[in-house]
Amino acid sequence: PTETLRAGLADRYPIDRPLGSGGTATVYLARDLRHGRQVALKVLHPALAAGVGPQRFLREIRFAASLQHPHILPLHDSGEVAGLLYYVMPYVEGETLRACLERGGRLPVEEAVRIAREVLDALGYAHRHGLVHRDIKPENILLSEGYALVADFGIAKAVAEAAEADTPVAATGVAQAGKDRVTETGWGMGTPAYMSPEQIGGAPVDGRSDLYGLGCVLHEMLTGEPPFTGPTAEAVLVQRFTQAPPHVCASRPESSHAMDRAIHRAMSLDP
């Protein structure tokens, strides 16, 4: 839908080029004509947007935009163009934690702990303001100028609400496809490698689910791998309930036993 986007946003956010694409959205580098700056324009995939719906999406984005914290990537704007849902963020010079891990493997212990503390600071602030992220993972943590920024607050909640909604979406081919896509693993609930047991089981979710996800991320920063892996998403999810998380100290002796206990506590089956 790039040409539709270009035409619909030409007078506000002319698109320069795509920056990347993930499970829920495509990100474009664009120019904010009103303020004379580069921005990142994130557009939900059309099938997912059809399932989520503009009202739910814009409500959650508006709530997330109220968050102001040094380690939360702010939201500048949001809207809809020809059925495409988008939101606008600062263009950050840097990389995602995922890119950092893929390039260099596990991180130095001190750096991993610093990033975890900064993400925890952001999550604590968001939780005090009543917002749960629901999808903490390396792809949603940006590293810029030596600092961590948590991105995509509000998106996972809008997707999860769409997946849980009792009322069916409009009976059109695109809308039904959107509903189907929302309920696929990794769209409606979260990302399998980092999902809390309560998310998997459909129980009410609060800030402790974010702490579970961050425990998984810290484990991966220290060891180079997520705590649970498998050939399929289902295999990864089953391990949540059948295996204890591996101990970080086993593969990273220089990490402390206190850190290992903290990760295990964050990843407890009992919230």
Side-chain angles (χ1 to χ4, degrees):
T2 305
E3 293 310 315
T4 302
L5 278 173
R6 289 186 186 278
L9 296 173
D11 61 338
R12 295 185 62 190
Y13 301 111
I15 293 175
D16 290 340
R17 57 184 170 87
L19 292 173
S21 185
T24 59
T26 299
V27 186
Y28 299 90
L29 178 64
R31 286 170 288 146
D32 179 354
L33 295 180
R34 182 177 300 171
H35 301 98
R37 60 188 176 186
Q38 287 187 314
V39 293
L41 184 77
K42 199 159 190 174
V43 184
L44 262 63
H45 296 322
L48 180 61
V52 172
Q55 185 174 1
R56 179 184 288 113
F57 172 78
L58 295 175
R59 181 188 71 227
E60 294 304 328
I61 286 293
R62 190 176 299 113
F63 189 18
S66 67
L67 298 178
Q68 298 183 26
H69 187 275
H71 296 297
I72 295 179
L73 188 68
L75 291 172
H76 290 331
D77 196 7
S78 61
E80 176 187 8
V81 173
L84 300 171
L85 302 176
Y86 70 89
Y87 54 105
V88 182
M89 307 168 292
Y91 173 61
V92 175
E93 293 283 356
E95 63 180 352
T96 65
L97 177 57
R98 169 61 65 217
C100 178
L101 291 171
E102 288 180 347
R103 186 183 68 254
R106 63 188 191 178
L107 302 182
V109 173
E110 295 79 8
E111 184 179 356
V113 172
R114 177 187 59 78
I115 291 172
R117 283 176 171 161
E118 292 175 354
V119 174
L120 275 170
D121 197 20
L123 293 176
Y125 169 83
H127 296 164
R128 290 192 298 273
H129 287 77
L131 190 60
V132 180
H133 191 288
R134 296 172 179 247
D135 197 20
I136 293 297
K137 58 185 178 182
E139 288 83 349
N140 285 335
I141 298 171
L142 304 180
L143 304 176
S144 177
E145 300 292 337
Y147 295 97
L149 293 167
V150 182
D152 283 2
F153 271 97
I155 306 306
K157 183 180 179 184
V159 174
E161 283 187 352
E164 297 163 1
D166 292 329
T167 54
V169 294
T172 66
V174 173
Q176 187 57 52
K179 184 67 173 177
D180 294 341
R181 295 303 295 275
V182 166
T183 54
E184 287 179 7
T185 298
W187 289 67
M189 298 187 297
T191 302
Y194 311 94
M195 283 170 59
S196 68
E198 55 269 28
Q199 283 178 286
I200 297 170
V205 170
D206 59 25
R208 292 170 291 188
S209 281
D210 287 346
L211 299 184
Y212 187 100
L214 184 56
C216 296
V217 171
L218 180 54
H219 183 285
E220 187 171 356
M221 287 193 288
L222 292 170
T223 67
E225 291 187 353
F228 300 111
T229 59
T232 65
E234 289 76 12
V236 173
L237 298 179
V238 167
Q239 290 180 52
R240 292 282 190 276
F241 301 96
T242 59
Q243 299 181 22
H247 288 278
V248 169
C249 292
S251 58
R252 202 70 189 270
E254 67 269 31
S255 62
S256 69
H257 289 284
M259 188 185 308
D260 192 72
R261 289 194 300 271
I263 292 173
H264 268 246
R265 182 176 178 182
M267 296 182 61
S268 170
L269 286 176
D270 182 353

